[in-house]
Amino acid sequence: AHFRATLKRNGKTIFTSVVGVGRSIWPTPPGEFYIRDKLTSFNDPFYGPIAFGTSARSTTLTDWPGGGFVGVHGTNQPSILPGRVSHGCIRMPNASILKLARLMPVGTPLTIT
């Protein structure tokens, strides 16, 4: 509802960023998930320099690569954030995803509300 990502360590906030989430026809699924993998040196203009794969799955876009898994990634269009702007992934500014990549290891729990 607030279009923000927050990373906490031992109950203390260590990272926050504005984000974009899925449009109403391609919603980002709510629930408890985890970070499955980290794609580094990605540097794609649409997805940003780094992307994380999550265990969250889209119920509407099942033809995505890997079966509809939701990602957390950057964007080269930060002006579209915050808001409902994606096909279900969580987007954030490239500077934010780079910082998050230094702080968040694979296996980190992910709660989407």
Side-chain angles (χ1 to χ4, degrees):
H2 299 288
F3 302 109
R4 304 279 311 161
T6 303
L7 178 64
K8 294 183 179 186
R9 184 173 291 144
N10 299 321
K12 181 182 175 190
T13 297
I14 62 168
F15 170 86
T16 187
S17 176
V18 65
V19 297
V21 297
R23 295 178 182 168
S24 60
I25 58 174
W26 304 300
T28 303
E32 300 292 326
F33 308 103
Y34 65 94
I35 300 300
R36 291 184 324 129
D37 54 11
K38 177 178 169 182
L39 303 167
T40 59
S41 302
F42 201 50
N43 208 19
D44 180 282
F46 187 74
Y47 297 109
I50 294 177
F52 290 94
T54 75
S55 63
R57 292 179 146 236
S58 171
T59 58
T60 56
L61 292 175
T62 56
D63 60 337
W64 281 359
F69 285 102
V70 171
V72 178
H73 59 79
T75 180
N76 66 342
Q77 298 177 331
S79 61
I80 65 172
L81 307 175
R84 297 188 186 281
V85 298
S86 78
H87 289 95
C89 286
I90 299 166
R91 296 183 187 186
M92 63 182 62
N94 287 340
S96 294
I97 198 71
L98 288 168
K99 182 176 180 181
L100 185 62
R102 292 190 302 271
L103 297 170
M104 184 174 72
V106 170
T108 298
L110 171 66
T111 301
I112 301 173
T113 57

